Amino acid sequence: MLNPKNKNIVLIGFMGVGKGTIARALIQKTKCMGLDTDDIIESMENRKIKDIFETDGEASFRTLEKKTAKWLEKSVKNSVISTGGGFFKVDNLEKIGTVVYLKSSFEGILKRLQEHENAELKLAKRPLLSDMTKAKALFNERAPLYEAKADIILDVENRKIKEIVNDLICVLKLKK
Ligand code: S3P
């Protein structure tokens, strides 16, 4: 069985693909609880991701992701965990739960972000999206790595949240 009792569901994928939105919709439909790795880090540090990048640099943020990953593995069960776009690189990812890669093209992700009512805010809070040429290169570098780490690959491009959530409930055999 893909999602045994108490196992977490870990959503991975590129920035802006909709990990948080899909996690929240899944939580509403199931008995799972929800957590987000960026939110955990912001609470732990009492500052925004953007400030952590600006003040301490990316390497320091990655260390906080590793610390979060260890805590999730040890202390969290039965939850949907949405992750930052680079979180998939932590050593213990598969020990945290069933890993689901939410897949879309780079263009599909940009379209989704631009159509959002808070588009400017969505872009501003993500330091690695400030340069689109670099962001596209990062996407190309990561796309095969996300696939390699995933137990399940789910195409989310141009699909309704409701359909994506129903697919996840079905594939993961979650209780409604
Ligand atoms: C990052 C993605 C961000 C956040 C940080 C770094 C990345 O999360 O963790 O800015 O390396 O892709 P989202 O994927 O939620 O934007």
Side-chain angles (χ1 to χ4, degrees), residues 15 19 38 49 53 61-62 65 84-86 126-128 142:
M15 289 171 270
K19 291 163 290 189
D38 282 349
I49 304 290
F53 267 72
F61 176 72
R62 300 300 171 203
E65 287 192 314
R126 295 178 163 103
L128 298 177
R142 282 184 181 170

Side-chain angles (χ1 to χ4, degrees), residues 141-157:
E141 177 195 315
R142 282 184 181 170
L145 306 177
Y146 287 128
E147 298 211 4
K149 289 266 184 158
D151 296 307
I152 295 164
I153 299 171
L154 192 63
D155 201 328
V156 298
E157 190 158 347

Side-chain angles (χ1 to χ4, degrees), residues 5-9 31-34 76-80:
K5 206 166 167 254
N6 291 340
K7 205 166 171 189
N8 299 307
I9 295 148
K31 298 188 191 320
C32 297
M33 293 294 278
V76 175
K77 285 180 187 171
N78 230 357
S79 296
V80 179

Side-chain angles (χ1 to χ4, degrees), residues 16-18 35 42 51 60 74 102 110 112 138 162 173:
V17 76
L35 287 166
E42 288 191 343
D51 297 331
S60 167
K74 245 179 120 180
L102 303 179
L110 284 191
R112 182 179 175 272
L138 186 64
K162 211 174 156 186
K173 299 186 174 72

Side-chain angles (χ1 to χ4, degrees), residues 44-85:
M44 187 161 67
E45 287 288 296
N46 194 22
R47 55 193 171 138
K48 297 283 176 200
I49 304 290
K50 198 172 174 279
D51 297 331
I52 301 173
F53 267 72
E54 277 169 11
T55 315
D56 299 345
E58 183 174 345
S60 167
F61 176 72
R62 300 300 171 203
T63 305
L64 294 168
E65 287 192 314
K66 285 186 187 138
K67 185 174 170 185
T68 305
K70 284 195 187 122
W71 174 75
L72 288 169
E73 180 191 342
K74 245 179 120 180
S75 311
V76 175
K77 285 180 187 171
N78 230 357
S79 296
V80 179
I81 302 167
S82 47
T83 64

